Amino acid sequence: MNRIIRVVGGVFYKRHPEVQVQLFRKVSGSIAGYFEFPGGKIESNETAESALKREILEELGVSIVVQDLVGSNTFEVTGRSIELTLYLIELEGPAEFVFSDHDAVLWLNENESTSPPIAPGDVPLLPQIFSLIKTKI
């Protein structure tokens, strides 16, 4: 049995004029060209929340506040088992993104959720994401 690699991702969102989530296009790796929720591996000495804060700072150059747990999805990528856990997040104060692993950003609404190429591990969690955000309205 493969060892499960634990990763965490963050979902920036807005509620007005409609519920939308922000995705970032990956530049390299197995999902290069796909839009994803930013994040990365959880190190052995980290909680999911602390790993998410570190990864967002490394990938986007911004500090965040971790909000609600969205859920998890386990999937295979190039023979590896990945357990992705997603959280809703928000910027900690005003900030501008400084990309290191991404080259584009887009806002996606619930009706567009199959339009751009979205990372396969993120897709199954989209209904949960939109449902959770709607409860916050």
Side-chain angles (χ1 to χ4, degrees), residues 7-8 26 30 34 39 43 46 93 100 118:
V7 299
V8 64
K26 191 77 171 163
S30 62
Y34 284 84
E43 302 297 336
E46 292 179 308
S100 66
I118 299 173

Side-chain angles (χ1 to χ4, degrees), residues 73-124:
N73 179 34
T74 302
F75 55 96
E76 298 286 321
V77 174
T78 61
R80 297 176 297 165
S81 294
I82 309 290
E83 180 187 59
L84 167 66
T85 302
L86 286 180
Y87 288 87
L88 296 181
I89 60 174
E90 67 180 0
L91 289 173
E92 187 174 57
E96 281 190 37
F97 295 129
V98 178
F99 297 135
S100 66
D101 293 343
H102 303 88
D103 67 354
V105 61
L106 69 82
W107 285 99
L108 183 79
N109 70 37
E110 195 169 12
N111 300 325
E112 302 170 317
S113 59
T114 57
S115 300
I118 299 173
D122 292 347
V123 172

